[in-house]
Amino acid sequence: MTDRQNKTVRGKNSAQIIALTLTGVGMLILGGMAILLLAKPDQVGRADDPKDYPSAVPVPVDYPAPELELTDLEGRPVALSDYAGQVVLVNNWAFWCPPCRAELPVLQEYYKDHRQQGFTLLGIEAGGEKVDVDYHVKLYKLTYPIWLDPRERSLAAFQYSGLPNSAVIDRTGKVVLKWGGPISREMLEKYVTPLLEQ
């Protein structure tokens, strides 16, 4: 091979290396942006809007509330049985789930307006790291109890796999309603508020 041919081959190899490097850097940047969009959408300017997710309609059920013991955000043990005699809405959610995040403000407002009527809302985060759960609790200004569920026991106990999902336990300790999907304020008022007035 002549010197001229060697220089041509080296030039082509250098161009290929530069192109591959730029492609790799571009993919890393796109991957980082995707992670930000999925995990913390509000940091990049988009909040999840409840109007983007139509409300599910609850299914009436009738069975005893499951025994469920987990920990709260401070690491203290907590149990469903701690809320005997109250109307309890158990909401299974995850910080990475857009419809879950979209319903958080709706749930917070309903909780704030009805907690004096013997109503408790329990937000059970399915499998997330505490640091991510803490971030979203602060972001959405949640004041209702949040429990950590690293092994997704609540999903198994309430026989659901998709998120978000919710179940309502009445004052007698029976599960009476189940939602598979996000909940609107209208649905909460229609189905849960009458239970508070009994």
Side-chain angles (χ1 to χ4, degrees):
M1 220 180 233
T2 67
D3 282 341
R4 188 173 180 185
Q5 288 172 324
N6 281 336
K7 285 180 185 176
T8 303
V9 169
R10 276 187 293 216
K12 286 181 181 176
N13 286 342
S14 295
Q16 287 175 337
I17 290 170
I18 290 169
L20 287 172
T21 302
L22 290 174
T23 301
V25 169
M27 291 178 75
L28 286 172
I29 290 169
L30 287 173
M33 289 176 66
I35 289 169
L36 281 175
L37 285 169
L38 290 173
K40 299 183 184 339
D42 295 280
Q43 288 186 345
V44 291
R46 182 188 181 278
D48 295 299
D49 188 341
K51 294 179 194 128
D52 292 342
Y53 304 97
S55 180
V57 176
V59 175
V61 293
D62 183 10
Y63 63 88
E67 291 184 22
L68 184 63
E69 296 180 0
L70 296 168
T71 57
D72 65 14
L73 287 174
E74 284 74 45
R76 296 178 299 233
V78 286
L80 274 182
S81 58
D82 297 340
Y83 297 93
Q86 296 187 40
V87 174
V88 179
L89 188 147
V90 175
N91 175 249
N92 291 296
W93 67 289
F95 75 90
W96 48 262
C97 161
C100 299
R101 292 191 307 263
E103 75 176 349
L104 292 176
V106 173
L107 295 172
Q108 172 60 38
E109 285 301 309
Y110 187 82
Y111 171 72
K112 184 181 80 171
D113 292 344
H114 293 282
R115 65 184 173 191
Q116 299 301 323
Q117 295 175 266
F119 172 71
T120 297
L121 198 156
L122 301 176
I124 302 181
E125 208 284 341
E129 295 291 327
K130 183 180 182 304
V131 64
D132 294 312
V133 179
D134 283 336
Y135 170 83
H136 286 83
V137 166
K138 287 177 187 151
L139 178 66
Y140 291 99
K141 299 177 175 70
L142 304 180
T143 60
Y144 55 86
I146 302 293
W147 296 1
L148 299 173
D149 190 7
R151 295 192 182 115
E152 300 181 359
R153 291 178 181 159
S154 182
L155 292 175
F158 287 98
Q159 301 167 8
Y160 266 126
S161 57
L163 293 170
N165 67 71
S166 299
V168 176
I169 302 167
D170 71 8
R171 296 187 198 280
T172 69
K174 289 198 168 186
V175 180
V176 293
L177 294 170
K178 287 175 71 172
W179 271 272
I183 307 173
S184 68
R185 178 67 184 246
E186 178 186 5
M187 290 294 159
L188 289 167
E189 294 292 357
K190 182 175 180 179
Y191 292 98
V192 180
T193 303
L195 297 173
L196 301 175
E197 295 165 353
Q198 293 177 359

